[in-house]
Amino acid sequence: MGRLHAGAAGAGMSERSRGRRRLLLAVALLVAALAAAWLAWRDELRGWRARARFPRVVVVTLDTLHVDFTGPYNPAVETTPTLDRFAETGITFDHAYTTVPITLPAHTSLFSGRLPPDLGVMVNGDVVDDAVETLAELLSRHGYRTGAVTSLGVLNTPANLSQGFDHYDDEVGGRWERWYRTADEVVAAARGWVEQVAGEPFFLWLHLSDPHEPYLPKDAPPDVRLLLDGEPHSEWTLTTKERYRTALDLPPGRHTLTWQPLREPRPDDKPATSLVLELVELDSPELDELPAGPEEELFLYQERYSLEVDNPHDRPVPLAVTFRGRTNTPPASEVYEHYPVEIAFMDHHLGEFERFMAERGLAEETLWVVVSDHGEGLYRYGSIGHATYTQEDQLRIVWMLRGPGLPAGRRVSDQPVVVEDVLPTLLELLGLPVPRASTGHSQTGCWSGDGCVGREEWWAYGADVEREEVVALAGYRWPFKLLWQNRRRTGGFEVASDPWEADELSGLEADDRDRGPRELARLAASLERHRRGLQKRLEERGAAELTPEQEEMLRGLGYIN
């Protein structure tokens, strides 16, 4: 009996133990549910407060914009009244920088608050990982409708910067037969989306890239004429980099197609200056044998290019001709004539969008962010482009903020800021938490009295997409800069007072008598370590294999040969 009694007692204790475990589990589940509900309520409250303060957030990115061609950064410029107005009514950062002069990684850094090597997005053609938390995802989570209208093929959906957007309009490429859109086309598409969501809180990203090469006004005259047997058929503008397709009725017999250049020569043309013609395809359903044309591009400057085509039938047959082109090595006079016109065109249509917002009562309570992704060489030191260079021409960017409660006409002139500071600054203004992965700093202290968040040191790089090689580096210990370009010697500059690197500082060795060379010596001592680290990250980043369409896009925009 005693043994039976002990067994019953043990069974009772076991039942009580199971009961306690069930109670503890129930309490734990209740606590977890309450915690989840509290977190959801907190997120909803934060979102409500953000939407109440700024029901609309508009981020305008201006691609390939050299700051010296804008009024806010160069008082001699009078062709950017919209940007001037933003500066007069908001906050302007005088010393803002990108850490990479390449469109996709710069924009990914801007929208994530992280550095490109950390993101694994280092050149155009890379893909943004789904795990990267972007501004669009954060604002969507907090109750904003999210829309984007982009204008350059490197930002198309395959790059995956579209994550978090309800609406991502990247209609370039196949539809337009070119890999970019002009400001009027972008603004028209953005207006359509805003009309649909005007009654709700929304975040819009408006991307304008008119200053990007090709440097050509939209109303530029034709630069090549197509002739059939010496008679004019049509005229085209090869410099736009568009793919053209035209139809002809080919009479019986042997015929000559001729491309005649119309571009007028300039005094500073060089031997390399030319129109480039690529004959993509001749196609006819009724002709079995058609010349393929040369495999390489044809250079047309003062010479014509002709092609013989036979029609053996006794009646006319249709012939489709597909070709495209560009300007090879445009002279400086042409660049400096067209580049400001492109910026003025972009500024005008940005102003048109601002007026559209105002007319619908949407402008005043909007938080506006106007920022560029990088600059452009424009032949100041021999380089015309951006991706493979790290001079001030390529690295300095525009950054302006405007919105209710922000000071008007405030200039931040005493501290540098970088592109990954945009996201944390914007989120702090909205009262939303900054992702832990962000390496940027909120710069609201620049005007609130707390002071800007400075950096002791930062680095920027330029890379060759095709060779997958880091070819340029710039290290900063403000106001000093160390510049290295493609294995050539390094140079040091004091860029606060010498913003365009006109006067190279002497000596890169430590010198107790001069803080400048000491700072440069520190940068020089770590340059090779940074170069090797960036090169390794570039090689190991796991870049996706480019599709034929992506290769054509990168080639069409001049990033690969």
Side-chain angles (χ1 to χ4, degrees), residues 262-269 301-302:
L262 303 176
R263 178 189 178 278
E264 293 294 329
R266 289 174 174 262
D268 58 339
D269 277 337
Y301 181 35
Q302 294 300 302

Side-chain angles (χ1 to χ4, degrees), residues 360-376:
R360 283 152 182 78
L362 302 174
E364 289 305 315
E365 292 184 317
T366 297
L367 175 58
W368 297 82
V369 182
V370 178
V371 60
S372 53
D373 61 342
H374 57 74
E376 187 79 322

Side-chain angles (χ1 to χ4, degrees), residues 43-44 46-48 50-51 54-59 111 133-147 163-166 193 201-205 367 369 422-423 426-433 435:
D43 265 6
E44 181 57 36
R46 284 172 170 167
W48 179 84
R51 299 191 303 270
F54 296 114
R56 290 164 294 279
V57 178
V58 176
V59 175
F111 285 125
E133 199 167 23
T134 67
L135 178 63
E137 291 173 305
L138 292 166
L139 295 188
S140 177
R141 189 182 309 148
H142 287 93
Y144 287 86
R145 295 288 300 276
T146 56
Q163 59 189 25
F165 285 101
D166 306 323
W193 183 76
F202 67 80
F203 159 52
L204 171 66
W205 169 28
L367 175 58
V369 182
V422 173
L423 177 113
L426 197 156
L427 291 178
E428 184 166 332
L429 288 171
L430 292 169
L432 299 177

Side-chain angles (χ1 to χ4, degrees), residues 38-52:
W38 181 81
L39 289 173
W41 175 83
R42 185 186 63 177
D43 265 6
E44 181 57 36
L45 180 61
R46 284 172 170 167
W48 179 84
R49 287 175 174 170
R51 299 191 303 270

Side-chain angles (χ1 to χ4, degrees), residues 472-530:
L473 276 178
Y476 290 85
R477 295 181 72 91
W478 191 258
F480 299 101
K481 173 186 180 180
L482 185 73
L483 180 65
W484 172 85
Q485 180 71 45
N486 203 19
R487 299 187 177 89
R488 292 200 292 269
R489 71 182 183 88
T490 54
F493 303 89
E494 201 277 345
V495 292
S497 60
D498 178 23
W500 304 117
E501 301 158 308
D503 299 314
E504 185 174 340
L505 300 177
S506 61
L508 298 179
E509 300 300 325
D511 185 342
D512 292 338
R513 297 167 299 173
D514 189 329
R515 178 174 175 269
R518 267 207 319 275
E519 297 293 334
L520 292 172
R522 292 179 186 177
L523 292 168
S526 61
L527 185 146
E528 183 58 20
R529 174 170 57 85
H530 281 284

Side-chain angles (χ1 to χ4, degrees), residues 117 167 221 275 300 344 350 376 389 409 443 465:
H167 174 80
L275 292 175
L300 311 176
L350 176 57
E376 187 79 322
Y389 303 94
Q443 298 295 355
V465 176

